Amino acid sequence: MNSQKTIKESIDLQGVGLHNGMQVNLCLKPAKANSGISFIRTDVDSDKNLIEANYKNVSSPILCTKIKNSDGISVSTIEHLMAVFYGEGIDNVEIEIDAPEVPIMDGSSFDFVEAIRSVGTEDQNSPKKYINVLKKVEIKDGPKHISIEPLSKDLIIDFEIVYKNPLIRTRRKEFKFSNGDLTSIYNSKTFCLYEDIDQIKSQGLAKGGSLENAIVVKENKILNEDGLRYRDEFVNHKILDCMGDLMLSGHRIFGHIKTSQGGHQLTNALLREFLSDKSNWEFENFDKKEKDRKDSAYPRPFAVNA
Ligand SMILES: [Zn+2]
């Protein structure tokens, strides 16, 4: 639990991008300790193809999480893959990708989890550092809000969705990380309302979207033949997205998150606000209780896996 981890072997995956509809090849590679999660765009010149998976690189997180480097090279829809790194305790991976979007697979994290568990993880000779919340921080945007507050050695994501749709409606779920079983979170698929599809497509998005990779809800009906995987699938998926976006802090977090109508944009706004002030948090080593926020080797709140 205390050591950083990477994957044991390289993993090749293929799929289609949800928003750009392109075929994508992905290669996950083991990476050295303290290097964090990074994407390498193999279809772009090598002097500008590295994009660090860091909350500071998030750009216009509309309907997915997109990160961009200083040369304007981006990769989007990273959240379902990032959520698996969070959940499986993986700190360091290099991801080669030949397109600007991570494949959507079946709309959940299922394929990523299967692939990663099939090769396994490897402990590295460097301690994991957790972000321990010291003070409550809250972000509000009209009726939407998100907050983070102190919690001892655990992460709770308390998520409420509010939809006028009679099938999705209002649903609230509290997910506690230490409960261990992430299956229903990992396997819950992304979803959209049938009436929003034209508008989403008119923005040039969801070109690769289909009933194979998203739940589509029309009034009180699910259009997918197989229906839902879980009764709480909608809110579960929002928790999955939130976990993936939290991984962009570079660490796991000990804290209690409460959100109503949260999403990629709000989670990113929270990370920016929360991590920008060092009185809000400190680094904690899980079992040695070694508090090192004053350690000059780790001066920056945004240092990935510092
Ligand atoms: Zn999602």
Side-chain angles (χ1 to χ4, degrees):
M1 188 119 204
N2 193 40
S3 304
Q4 290 182 29
K5 280 186 192 176
T6 186
I7 49 175
K8 260 198 183 124
E9 291 167 31
S10 295
I11 300 166
D12 288 309
L13 290 157
Q14 283 92 33
V16 68
L18 172 65
H19 292 302
N20 62 22
M22 289 164 76
Q23 277 293 330
V24 190
N25 294 293
L26 207 61
C27 181
L28 277 51
K29 294 183 161 176
K32 59 181 194 299
N34 299 306
S35 63
I37 309 291
S38 56
F39 288 83
I40 293 169
R41 284 274 305 272
T42 55
D43 57 328
V44 169
D45 291 346
S46 62
D47 57 337
K48 54 182 180 186
N49 66 357
L50 176 74
I51 312 155
E52 282 178 23
N54 184 289
Y55 69 96
K56 293 207 159 194
N57 289 334
V58 171
S59 119
S60 57
I62 299 162
L63 296 174
C64 72
T65 299
K66 176 175 170 180
I67 48 171
K68 201 182 204 172
N69 68 18
S70 56
D71 289 303
I73 305 302
S74 67
V75 60
S76 59
T77 321
I78 63 170
E79 58 271 22
H80 306 158
L81 180 58
M82 295 301 292
V84 180
F85 296 143
Y86 196 109
E88 300 299 292
I90 295 166
D91 304 283
N92 308 298
V93 182
E94 195 176 273
I95 302 144
E96 290 182 356
I97 182 166
D98 64 354
E101 187 175 6
V102 172
I104 187 69
M105 314 310 282
D106 71 350
S108 76
S109 293
F110 177 83
D111 291 308
F112 298 136
V113 177
E114 290 285 295
I116 286 169
R117 288 186 178 170
S118 74
V119 301
T121 59
E122 193 165 270
D123 284 350
Q124 296 177 291
N125 198 16
S126 205
K128 247 190 216 322
K129 292 194 191 306
Y130 294 79
I131 290 173
N132 192 29
V133 179
L134 299 174
K135 266 201 277 187
K136 181 174 176 176
V137 173
E138 184 165 26
I139 304 276
K140 287 183 179 168
D141 176 12
K144 303 176 182 181
H145 62 83
I146 188 166
S147 62
I148 190 164
E149 50 196 280
L151 179 72
S152 179
K153 295 190 175 39
D154 208 344
L155 170 73
I156 290 177
I157 301 175
D158 176 347
F159 209 113
E160 181 184 58
I161 52 171
V162 180
Y163 279 77
K164 285 192 187 110
N165 178 277
L167 197 117
I168 306 176
R169 296 179 294 145
T170 296
R171 189 96 31 116
R172 183 171 167 188
K173 185 164 183 172
E174 193 181 88
F175 164 75
K176 196 174 185 188
F177 195 75
S178 64
N179 285 352
D181 187 8
L182 286 154
T183 310
S184 65
I185 302 293
Y186 283 149
N187 294 357
S188 288
K189 292 168 73 166
T190 193
F191 62 95
C192 70
L193 296 173
Y194 179 79
E195 61 260 37
D196 290 343
I197 292 177
D198 282 348
Q199 204 236 333
I200 293 169
K201 292 210 168 179
S202 73
Q203 294 174 56
L205 298 170
K207 284 180 188 147
S210 74
L211 292 172
E212 300 296 306
N213 55 36
I215 300 163
V216 181
V217 184
K218 187 178 183 186
E219 286 145 23
N220 57 358
K221 271 210 303 245
I222 306 277
L223 298 188
N224 310 62
E225 248 174 50
D226 298 343
L228 293 176
R229 287 176 171 165
Y230 306 96
R231 200 172 64 91
D232 288 340
E233 187 151 2
F234 305 115
V235 71
N236 283 351
H237 187 81
K238 299 296 274 187
I239 291 169
L240 178 77
D241 282 343
C242 184
M243 197 164 80
D245 289 339
L246 292 178
M247 188 66 207
L248 291 169
S249 68
H251 303 273
R252 273 130 217 112
I253 295 176
F254 293 147
H256 192 157
I257 290 189
K258 293 177 188 166
T259 181
S260 180
Q261 302 177 67
H264 303 303
Q265 200 147 18
L266 220 50
T267 309
N268 188 247
L270 179 73
L271 283 184
R272 285 176 189 264
E273 176 76 23
F274 168 66
L275 294 171
S276 67
D277 182 346
K278 280 220 78 176
S279 68
N280 291 332
W281 63 279
E282 65 186 354
F283 275 131
E284 189 168 337
N285 179 307
F286 192 77
D287 56 12
K288 288 181 192 158
K289 292 184 182 169
E290 167 197 295
K291 294 178 181 179
D292 59 2
R293 58 194 280 251
K294 293 185 182 74
D295 185 334
S296 62
Y298 309 107
R300 295 171 305 147
F302 51 88
V304 174
N305 279 307

